[in-house]
Amino acid sequence: MSENGNVNLALIEPVLEKYRGGGRTKLLPALHEIQGIYRYIPEPAAAALGRALGIPLADVYGVIGFYTLFYDHGPVGETVIRICTDPSCGIAGADRVLDAVCEKLGIKPGQTTPDGKFTVERTTCLGLCEHAPAALVTRNGHTYQLGSLSPEAVDELLEGKGAKPTPIVGGDGVLLGRIRKGIPATLSDYVREGGYTALRKALSEMSPEDVIAEVKKSGLAGRGGAAF
């Protein structure tokens, strides 16, 4: 198998057969399974997957390169610990947690321990700002989140233990007042629950200038991503 850079493609033959002819729609699950076998996605395996699915290799690498949870080099550690260091987690002490983990393992962020057991990385927001600092851990083929990390609990983190956070969503405000009160099944249900109240007020009681001023005053960000 020297032509494949010593990559044993026989290991992924069941995966290739499982998804053969599936096209682009099967690319993501197949990549996850292949990475679970090698702990990264070797080029020969990516090429074999492209042939099996019937898609160009460029498409395979387009997905590998887009998603940060895929690796085209490696192998990464048996356990991958990704610690969020974005603003909310950073303010809550994420860098101290990251430093403590790396010091314990004798590596730097982005590195893998010599025994291949751990990889530690920085990552961007995990959507767990209310549980900061937070981490995303991949261990034994399973990925899960941990929150409320601390430098004093490094051993617990390395063992895959810690607080398993649940999102905290709720409130009495305009945006969150109806959260978890059921999803209206009809337009009349939505209106009865107060839907379109703000729209009616904007159309009947406010001028365009008033609407613009109200939006600016609210400080609301849009929903286009990255606080657009």
Side-chain angles (χ1 to χ4, degrees), residues 31-160:
L31 285 173
H32 278 295
E33 292 193 31
I34 289 174
Q35 181 161 283
I37 293 170
Y38 298 114
R39 302 210 307 272
Y40 78 113
I41 303 169
E43 190 280 332
L49 177 60
R51 291 192 296 270
L53 295 180
I55 63 175
L57 184 58
D59 285 3
V60 178
Y61 271 102
V63 172
I64 295 172
F66 181 81
Y67 291 103
T68 59
L69 298 187
F70 288 133
Y71 301 90
D72 60 2
H73 60 280
V76 295
E78 296 173 12
T79 297
V80 180
I81 300 174
R82 304 173 181 90
I83 298 175
C84 171
T85 54
D86 269 9
S88 292
C89 287
I91 292 171
D95 287 308
R96 291 190 293 111
V97 174
L98 181 67
D99 291 343
V101 173
C102 288
E103 182 178 354
K104 178 76 174 182
L105 296 174
I107 59 175
K108 295 180 179 179
Q111 294 183 341
T112 299
T113 55
D115 61 6
K117 290 188 177 300
F118 292 95
T119 296
V120 180
E121 300 178 341
R122 297 177 182 272
T123 190
T124 53
C125 184
L126 298 173
L128 293 169
C129 299
E130 70 272 40
H131 297 287
L136 186 71
V137 180
T138 299
R139 185 184 183 91
N140 298 327
H142 300 285
T143 297
Y144 54 90
Q145 297 171 320
L146 296 175
S148 304
L149 306 175
S150 74
E152 293 74 32
V154 168
D155 290 338
E156 187 178 48
L157 175 58
L158 295 179
E159 292 171 4

Side-chain angles (χ1 to χ4, degrees), residues 181-193:
K181 292 185 179 179
I183 301 174
T186 66
L187 183 59
S188 59
D189 289 340
Y190 177 67
V191 172
R192 187 165 51 251
E193 291 293 326

Side-chain angles (χ1 to χ4, degrees), residues 164-186:
K164 302 291 179 65
T166 55
I168 300 172
V169 180
D172 298 321
V174 174
L175 294 179
L176 302 176
R178 290 192 294 274
I179 289 288
R180 293 177 178 157
K181 292 185 179 179
I183 301 174
T186 66

